[in-house]
Amino acid sequence: MFRIFGKSRSEALNDHRMGRYLRYAIGEILLVVVGILIALQIDNWNDDREEAATLDSYLHSIARNLQSDIEELEELREKRQENLLTRTRVQTLLRKSTPYDVNDVFFFNRSIYFARQTLHFIPDTSGYEALKNSGVLDRLQGQDIERLLSDYYNVVGNTQHLESEFNELIKPFGIQFDLSTLKNVEDFAFGDPVALSPERFQELQPYYREVIRGSSAVMLFNAQYSSYLILQEYENAIALGRAFVQMVGAGRSNFGSQENILPGYAGDARKIGKAELVVNGAISFDTYGFWFTSSNDNGQEFKPDSIRRTDDALHILYPGGEPDPLHESWAAIWFSVMEPDPGRPSRDFSMYDTLQLELKGELGGESILVNMKDKDDPDDGTQANVELVLTDQWQTYEIELARFENADLSVLSVVTGFLFLDQFEPVSFQIRNARFIKQADR
C-alpha cells in the first residue's frame, strides 16, 4: 500500500499537482496514525487484561484469607458463647444454700479456668496488604466489593479493640482470684477434690463457699456479660467475610438490586429483633441473654447441669418445686434482649408473625408454658401463656405471635420464656432451634 501511495505522490509531483499530492500525503499520515492508535489500543487492552488478572489473583488470595478468618471467628464465637452460658450456670452455685458436692467444685474450677482466658482474633491480612501495595486497588473504586472489603476490615479493627478492652477488664479479677485462694488448704482442693477424704471435703465447705461466692469470682463471671458486644462484631465479620468470598467465587464485583448481604448492617440493627434465638443448641448471645428464677428463693433448686449444651441441643432440666400450701410454686426460664439499657432493653419483632420452636421432651408428655413480655409488662403472671405438650421425638411447633396478646411486639423484651406452675416433678426437655419467622416469606 505504501508503494501505491509512493507512486501516486511521485506522479502528483511530476505533474505539478500539489493538491493531489497533499491528499495522498495526508492519507499516509492518517494511515500511520491509525496504525499507532491501534497498536496503543492493543497495548492498553493487554495491560488492562493483565491488571484485571492481577486484581483477580489478589481478590482470590484475600478470599482465602477471609475463609480462614471465618473459621477462626467461628471457633472464638463458640468459646465466648460457652463462657456466657457458663455464667448463667454458675449462678446456681451462688444461690445454693446446701453444701457443695464434688461435681459443683469440679464445675466451678473448670469454669474459672475458661473465664480467665484471654481470647484474640488474629486476622490474615497478607492478601489485603499485598493488594494495597500492588497499584491495582483503584480498579475497585466505586464498586460494592470495595465497600465490602473496607467494611470487613473496619469491623475487624473494632473487634480487636473490643477484645483488647475486654481482656484488660478481666485480667485484674483473675489475679485477685489467685490471691484469694492462698489459704492453708491442699493445692488440689479445687483441681482434684475427689482426692480429699469425705471428712476433709466437708471441713473445707466454708472455704469453698468463700471462694465461689467471693467478689473476685463473681466479678469475673459478671464481666463475661459485656462480651456480647464482641460477639456482635464476630457476627458482622462472618457475614461480611462470607459475602466477599461468595462474590469473588462468582466473579462479580457488585450486588444485585435486591441483595442484602447483612440485614440491618447499614442501618441501626439494634432496633430490629434478630430472628434466631437458638441455632443447633447454641444461644445467640450476641443479642440475647438467658436467665432463670423461681419462687424457691430465686431459683435455688437449679443446678449447673440443669442448663447445658450437648451435641446440637440445649438441655433444660427443671428439678421441680416444693409444695407450699400458702403460695403457688413456679419457675421461669427465659431469653431476653441483651443491651446496655438502664431500663428494660427491647427490640422490634413486629415484622414476624410466628415463633418456631424445635423441641423434644426427655420422656414425652412434658407440659411447658411459653410466653413473651414487652418492656412495660409487669412481672405478676398476667402475661398470656401458650401450653405445649412435648413428645420424646423432635417436633417443630409454630405459635402465632398474635396469641401472646398482652405483648407489644414492637418493644419486646422477654422474647421467649418457659414457665412451670405447681410443677413438683422434674421436667426435662431440649431445644434444638428457636427462631422467629414470617409465614409469607417461607
Side-chain angles (χ1 to χ4, degrees):
M1 181 170 291
F2 286 106
R3 295 177 64 184
I4 293 173
F5 275 112
K7 182 179 179 182
S8 300
R9 180 179 57 191
S10 179
E11 290 176 354
L13 289 172
N14 291 336
D15 294 341
H16 303 285
R17 289 174 289 179
M18 185 59 67
R20 185 178 178 184
Y21 167 76
L22 289 175
R23 285 197 300 271
Y24 283 109
I26 292 172
E28 281 190 76
I29 294 170
L30 288 175
L31 186 62
V32 172
V33 170
V34 169
I36 293 172
L37 291 175
I38 291 174
L40 288 173
Q41 183 64 31
I42 293 173
D43 189 54
N44 288 338
W45 180 76
N46 285 332
D47 289 344
D48 188 69
R49 186 176 61 176
E50 289 178 4
E51 284 191 3
T54 300
L55 177 61
D56 187 63
S57 176
Y58 282 123
L59 293 178
H60 276 83
S61 177
I62 295 172
R64 288 191 295 271
N65 293 163
L66 265 60
Q67 187 59 52
S68 176
D69 287 354
I70 290 169
E71 293 171 5
E72 183 181 350
L73 285 165
E74 288 174 337
E75 291 178 5
L76 289 169
R77 177 179 63 185
E78 183 81 12
K79 291 177 181 178
R80 292 197 185 279
Q81 286 177 334
E82 184 61 31
N83 281 345
L84 279 165
L85 182 60
T86 297
R87 174 186 178 274
T88 301
R89 298 173 66 191
V90 164
Q91 301 303 310
T92 64
L93 299 182
L94 301 181
R95 300 172 185 181
K96 189 172 184 177
S97 59
T98 56
Y100 296 115
D101 58 33
V102 169
N103 290 330
D104 293 334
V105 176
F106 266 131
F107 172 72
F108 179 81
N109 188 59
R110 180 179 180 276
S111 300
I112 283 288
Y113 173 78
F114 287 107
R116 295 167 64 188
Q117 285 188 332
T118 56
L119 303 176
H120 306 268
F121 172 48
I122 304 175
D124 186 344
T125 61
S126 59
Y128 187 50
E129 292 300 324
L131 174 62
K132 289 193 295 185
N133 296 325
S134 68
V136 296
L137 181 59
D138 289 345
R139 292 179 63 89
L140 297 179
Q141 190 170 4
Q143 301 182 68
D144 289 337
I145 197 168
E146 180 200 28
R147 170 181 172 260
L148 195 58
L149 198 56
S150 175
D151 286 349
Y152 174 79
Y153 283 107
N154 284 338
V155 168
V156 165
N158 193 43
T159 299
Q160 293 178 306
H161 174 70
L162 290 173
E163 284 182 329
S164 178
E165 285 189 337
F166 180 79
N167 291 336
E168 289 299 314
L169 174 66
I170 66 173
K171 188 182 298 182
F173 303 142
I175 296 172
Q176 290 169 19
F177 180 79
D178 284 335
L179 296 176
S180 71
T181 58
L182 295 177
K183 302 285 185 179
N184 187 26
V185 298
E186 293 82 349
D187 294 339
F188 51 86
F190 266 100
D192 190 17
V194 294
L196 298 168
S197 67
E199 295 77 16
R200 180 58 174 161
F201 184 77
Q202 291 305 314
E203 288 177 3
L204 291 179
Q205 284 294 319
Y207 164 69
Y208 287 134
R209 188 165 300 279
E210 177 186 350
V211 174
I212 291 173
R213 293 190 174 186
S215 60
S216 295
V218 171
M219 288 189 291
L220 178 61
F221 286 115
N222 285 344
Q224 301 299 319
Y225 176 88
S226 62
S227 67
Y228 81 92
L229 295 170
I230 301 174
L231 285 171
Q232 288 179 355
E233 293 305 309
Y234 285 173
E235 295 296 333
N236 286 340
I238 290 171
L240 289 165
R242 284 176 177 164
F244 182 88
V245 171
Q246 291 170 3
M247 181 174 281
V248 171
R252 299 164 56 195
S253 57
N254 286 290
F255 294 108
S257 58
Q258 300 301 315
E259 286 183 284
N260 189 1
I261 62 164
L262 184 60
Y265 179 73
D268 188 358
R270 291 186 177 182
K271 294 180 180 178
I272 306 301
K274 182 177 180 178
E276 293 79 16
L277 285 173
V278 179
V279 179
N280 294 326
I283 300 172
S284 296
F285 277 117
D286 59 299
T287 307
Y288 304 110
F290 188 57
W291 319 92
F292 67 91
T293 190
S294 75
S295 56
N296 183 18
D297 196 14
N298 202 26
Q300 200 175 106
E301 69 273 37
F302 287 96
K303 300 178 180 179
D305 283 346
S306 296
I307 304 163
R308 69 190 193 281
R309 185 191 177 200
T310 57
D311 299 326
D312 63 347
L314 181 67
H315 293 244
I316 297 176
L317 168 63
Y318 171 52
E322 294 291 334
D324 186 338
L326 300 178
H327 302 94
E328 182 179 46
S329 174
W330 59 268
I333 299 172
W334 71 96
F335 303 90
S336 64
V337 174
M338 190 151 60
E339 296 286 355
D341 190 317
R344 202 171 184 177
S346 65
R347 287 197 179 192
D348 184 2
F349 288 79
S350 60
M351 71 290 298
Y352 306 113
D353 56 26
T354 303
L355 173 64
Q356 188 180 78
L357 301 170
E358 190 177 1
L359 307 174
K360 173 187 174 184
E362 195 70 26
L363 302 173
E366 293 87 351
S367 174
I368 58 175
L369 298 175
V370 183
N371 58 76
M372 296 179 182
K373 293 182 181 180
D374 63 48
K375 68 182 184 66
D376 297 316
D377 280 335
D379 294 322
D380 59 2
T382 58
Q383 75 282 342
N385 298 307
V386 176
E387 182 179 16
L388 296 179
V389 179
L390 309 182
T391 72
D392 61 355
Q393 302 295 318
W394 286 109
Q395 298 285 340
T396 298
Y397 303 85
E398 295 189 350
I399 306 174
E400 294 181 1
L401 299 186
R403 298 181 65 181
F404 303 105
E405 53 193 29
N406 295 8
D408 182 349
L409 298 178
S410 66
V411 285
L412 209 57
S413 181
V414 175
V415 296
T416 298
F418 301 102
L419 182 64
F420 307 93
L421 294 176
D422 285 332
Q423 180 65 53
F424 307 119
E425 297 296 325
V427 178
S428 179
F429 67 101
Q430 302 176 45
I431 307 173
R432 178 183 285 163
N433 294 293
R435 65 193 303 265
F436 289 88
I437 62 173
K438 188 172 180 62
Q439 294 288 354
D441 295 338
R442 302 180 69 179

